[in-house]
Amino acid sequence: MTSRKPRVVLGVSAGIAAYKVCELLRRLTESGHDVRVVPTRDALRFVGEPTWAALSGNPVTTEVWHGVDEVPHVRLGQEADLVFVAPATADLLAKAAHGLADDLLTNTLLTARCPVVFAPAMHTEMWEHPATQANVATLRARGAIVVEPASGRLTGKDTGKGRLPDPAELFEVARRVLARGGLDGDLTGRHVVVSAGGTREPIDPVRFIGNRSSGLQGYALARTAVARGARVTLVAANVALPDPAGVDLVPVGSAEEMRKAVLEAADGADAVVMAAAVADFRPADYRGSKIKKASGAEPEPIRLTKNADILAELGQRRGTGQVIVGFAAETDDVLANGREKLARKGCDLLVVNQVGESLTFGQADNAATILATEGDPTVVPRGAKEALADVVWDLVAARLK
């Protein structure tokens, strides 16, 4: 007996970014979801009804008066496993926040009893307007997930925050929300900071001291936090990965740059997860020009000095009720070293994992033991890095309550 396909209502409002949503629709249908596209009337000025119908395999209408015998304005919301609105314009957000229902999409939003995700896209001034921000806050307070727009090129010559995130990353948000089994976003209304990647400490303009971290675990933490309703600041060091949808990305290079960015973002945050591999040492003397190789001569030793301990500093500066999570990459005596580090760093949770050649760094999977200042360790068997991320957020959410 085959299981029922997950039912997704894909709402489309009247923004130029509507053309990007065709790619999101394709990813949803090709991954086995039953998608019903519900555009607003003006959204069809950007992408027509035949396109949505052909890509979804389902009829498309904007009106509550079509197929009245099936009561679509009630049935669609009642039967959906997820309602995902992209792009969500300022007008659509205002209507949703105030409970207006003048077409099929806004009626569906009122009847939905499943998770609802909005992916806003608009000009920066419209996104930052107090009215829009108040509407977003209202929707989040009711349990909706509002994905932060990306920064970049907008229509015309304008650039700024308000760009629709990449469709592939929006698909990841939809997939993660559905994977949560329809549970409410337990991080809704929370601001979390995640660090990712590996810092690089320059020796000269060409060379640096670095590590093998790819940023995959930190990005998994950021993506799962967005899908659970959080506002996420992602401080990323030297990561060559697509920007996760809905995060405020802060790119950094060195340990000192990461320290400044993390401490600034952590001020007032509900939780900080330090998943980045921060270099313990840096060259004491930076050479302003490339170090030349002298024929027949041995290179001069590179003298190292300690970098600041960001995790320990976070523990010392923590705000009231703030949850701090560290990561410890160990090659031997993994748990013993982890317990010592947990006591020394002053964090609430420490994710301890073994690293080595073809192990953890740069890999799609991870295994860990999560140590806590109180209670028993949590053992996470080897699996996808987003599975470990969800366990971390489960423990964080429990402490935030």
Side-chain angles (χ1 to χ4, degrees), residues 309-319 322 324 345-347:
D309 190 329
I310 304 173
L311 185 58
E313 192 168 355
L314 285 168
Q316 295 166 3
R317 297 175 49 156
R318 71 164 69 215
Q322 188 177 69
I324 298 175
K345 300 284 189 178
C347 51

Side-chain angles (χ1 to χ4, degrees), residues 132-205:
T132 303
Q133 290 301 302
N135 291 331
V136 168
T138 297
L139 292 169
R140 284 173 171 161
R142 293 176 185 157
I145 296 172
V146 183
V147 178
E148 290 285 314
S151 296
R153 183 68 180 269
L154 305 173
T155 53
K157 297 180 180 180
D158 295 338
T159 60
K161 189 168 185 178
R163 183 182 176 90
L164 188 73
D166 185 88
E169 290 300 319
L170 290 178
F171 169 72
E172 288 301 314
V173 174
R175 187 179 66 82
R176 289 302 306 149
V177 172
L178 285 165
R180 292 276 297 160
L183 299 177
D184 291 335
D186 52 2
L187 295 178
T188 296
R190 303 291 189 177
H191 175 210
V192 303
V193 179
V194 178
S195 70
T199 63
R200 295 177 179 177
E201 311 306 312
I203 299 170
D204 61 22

Side-chain angles (χ1 to χ4, degrees), residues 10-15 37-47 52 60-63 85 87 89 91-92 95 102-106 109:
L10 181 58
V12 184
S13 59
V37 181
V38 181
T40 64
R41 299 178 190 93
D42 286 339
L44 296 180
R45 293 174 178 264
F46 294 97
V47 179
W52 298 122
V60 173
T61 182
T62 66
E63 305 294 340
V85 183
T89 61
D91 179 70
L92 189 283
K95 288 179 178 179
D102 61 352
D103 61 9
L104 186 56
L105 176 54
T106 49
L109 290 170

Side-chain angles (χ1 to χ4, degrees), residues 252-323:
V252 297
S254 68
E256 182 56 26
E257 289 175 356
M258 174 160 284
R259 173 182 171 273
K260 291 178 180 178
V262 167
L263 291 180
E264 180 179 351
D267 187 20
D270 296 289
V272 184
V273 181
M274 284 294 298
V278 182
D280 294 320
F281 309 100
R282 69 180 186 276
D285 302 303
Y286 172 76
R287 306 290 183 89
S289 57
K290 179 183 175 182
I291 301 171
K292 295 294 186 180
K293 180 173 65 175
S295 178
E298 290 296 316
E300 293 182 15
I302 298 174
R303 188 167 63 88
L304 300 178
T305 187
K306 283 185 179 181
N307 278 323
D309 190 329
I310 304 173
L311 185 58
E313 192 168 355
L314 285 168
Q316 295 166 3
R317 297 175 49 156
R318 71 164 69 215
T320 303
Q322 188 177 69
V323 178

